[in-house]
Amino acid sequence: LPPRPTAAPTAGAAAAQAASPPSGTASPPGEAAPAGDTGLPAYEQTKQQPLPPYEEKRPLDLLAQLTNTPPPAETPVRTIVRRFKIWTPLVALVVVVLGVIQLVRPLPEPTLSLTAKESYEFEGGAPEMPWPGEGQAVVEVEGLGRIGESGKEKPVPIASVAKVMTAYLMLKEHPVKGDDPGVNIPMDQQAEDDAAKGAQGESVVNVNKGDKLSQREALQAIMVASANNVARQIARWDAGSEKAFVKKMNDTAKELGMTNTKYTDPSGLNATTVSTASDQVKLGMEAMKDPLFREVVLQPQYKDSNGDTHQNYNRLVPVNGVRGIKTGTTTKAGGNFVFAAEKKVGGTTQRIVGAVFGQHEAPIIDTVMARGQELITAAQGILTDMRVVKKGDVVGYVDDGLGTQVPVVATKDVNAVGWSGLKVSLKIGDGGKTIPNAAEAGDKVGELTMGGGQGEVSVPVALKEDLKEPGAGAKLTRLG
């Protein structure tokens, strides 16, 4: 067969062929082969096209580019759908996490609230009391309030009544527990020398330098025998000097709200030691909280370590409910008496504390004791009780903190103690115990309280219905 005719090369190909060296011919030394030169004829070569500059493409644009399908037109609906698909899983995850947190986090502590009346008033007007015709007097019932008062409240000399603060401070700074007699207080030379002042009319007990009195005996010496020399010795032993101790007396008086009181000595012999009946009642109530103090001021007499017997100047103890506290008499001060007494009423023991100052009718000690006895008897006589809550009455509710309230009832009758015209308050509380999140009907969950102090009336309150732990719905929807 004749040979196939060869197609004439195009002008471009001819030019390229002319520019290329013959096949199999190397480039001249020192010269690089032209870019893209593979040593093959042009028609046998393939060339790598450069990539277009990098552009950030959306997934749909890239897909369109790969499939040669143009991306769908962007519309508000498509934008919303796309965002919904992206955010819905995230929102669902957040909701699940928050739900788990709501279910497992601690429940709020339930609280008690009162629904019964907050206060009750005894019928009648203010009671009549046999107030003295001179001086000043105050009578109160611990935890209930003041029965009444007479005279002008102004600072007056209080004589040995000042020893109440001396005793209170000694026991406050050096507490004595149970039957322990306390630490020993050594007697110095001044205490021995001061004992000789008994010949001049001072109240003292005989001590010698080097003697040691227990705190119990020292307390008996100042509160029963009213010994000035031992009161001064206690001051020096406690504070290093009488002056330093007097400062502590005045600081303590301020702490107790005794705004009309000024002490200048630990025994009360100085007429510049002054106070009021009202201030000394405040101190008397605080002092009577100490068991050893109460024990000593109740003693009609005591025998000291030397074997000497000392009579209590307060001749009213321990009969007719009288429980203390201290007398104090001087010519300038007159007769002064701070007293404590008790009365059982309404299933409670109520403590009466009062003071009579500035009684100058001779004999002053007898006068002030008589005035005090009259006030004690009257106060005991006017104390009464009335029922304000019956057993089973709904008095409040427990709130679980998530919207559920369960009523509570009194487990006993509540009798208020007081006197005519007195208003008493009723309170409800948890009694210092945590209220459970779930409990059965009849379980005690708190206390109903009326009054205060020694005569406080308190009865338990119990659930009227079951208190159930909050369900999942309440837990999930709580905000607090």
Side-chain angles (χ1 to χ4, degrees), residues 144-363:
L144 295 180
R146 180 168 295 187
I147 293 177
E149 59 196 295
S150 71
K152 186 177 180 180
E153 185 179 354
K154 64 178 182 178
V156 295
I158 58 174
S160 288
V161 168
K163 295 184 177 78
V164 177
M165 177 62 85
T166 302
Y168 173 74
L169 262 178
M170 179 184 72
L171 295 174
K172 180 174 180 286
E173 299 291 321
H174 313 275
V176 179
K177 296 182 179 180
D179 295 330
D180 189 342
V183 299
N184 289 325
I185 302 174
M187 299 293 108
D188 59 17
Q189 186 61 53
Q190 185 173 344
E192 179 180 338
D193 294 344
D194 285 350
K197 295 180 180 180
Q200 304 170 18
E202 281 198 38
S203 300
V204 299
V205 295
N206 291 321
V207 295
N208 297 308
K209 180 181 179 181
D211 288 349
K212 293 182 179 180
L213 272 60
S214 68
Q215 282 181 265
R216 183 185 298 274
E217 184 173 348
L219 188 63
Q220 291 171 320
I222 65 174
M223 296 305 294
V224 177
S226 198
N228 290 345
N229 60 330
V230 175
R232 299 178 191 125
Q233 179 66 85
I234 290 173
R236 295 191 296 273
W237 166 74
D238 174 81
S241 69
E242 293 179 36
K243 182 179 180 180
F245 189 79
V246 167
K247 182 180 183 305
K248 292 175 71 172
M249 295 173 78
N250 286 309
D251 289 345
T252 303
K254 289 181 181 179
E255 292 174 4
L256 296 177
M258 301 167 63
T259 56
N260 291 311
T261 297
K262 181 180 180 181
Y263 294 99
T264 59
D265 73 309
S267 69
L269 184 64
N270 295 346
T272 49
T273 289
V274 296
S275 187
T276 64
S278 182
D279 277 2
Q280 290 302 309
V281 166
K282 293 178 182 178
L283 175 59
M285 287 188 177
E286 288 298 315
M288 287 294 287
K289 294 177 181 178
D290 188 278
L292 181 57
F293 184 90
R294 293 198 304 269
E295 174 192 327
V296 168
V297 297
L298 186 59
Q299 296 176 339
Q301 62 184 28
Y302 84 100
K303 183 177 290 187
D304 66 22
S305 52
N306 293 323
D308 297 330
T309 299
H310 303 273
Q311 301 296 323
N312 196 332
Y313 283 90
N314 178 6
R315 298 191 299 270
L316 299 182
V317 293
V319 297
N320 298 325
V322 181
R323 296 294 181 263
I325 298 178
K326 189 74 185 74
T327 62
T329 59
T330 63
T331 302
K332 188 166 186 178
N336 301 293
F337 182 29
V338 178
F339 56 81
E342 293 178 349
K343 170 70 180 296
K344 291 184 178 181
V345 56
T348 65
T349 300
Q350 301 291 329
R351 178 178 292 142
I352 303 162
V353 180
V356 183
F357 283 178
Q359 302 303 299
H360 290 275
E361 181 183 336

Side-chain angles (χ1 to χ4, degrees), residues 19-40 45:
S20 300
S23 175
T25 305
S27 297
E31 293 185 14
D37 187 0
T38 63
L40 298 173
Q45 296 183 27

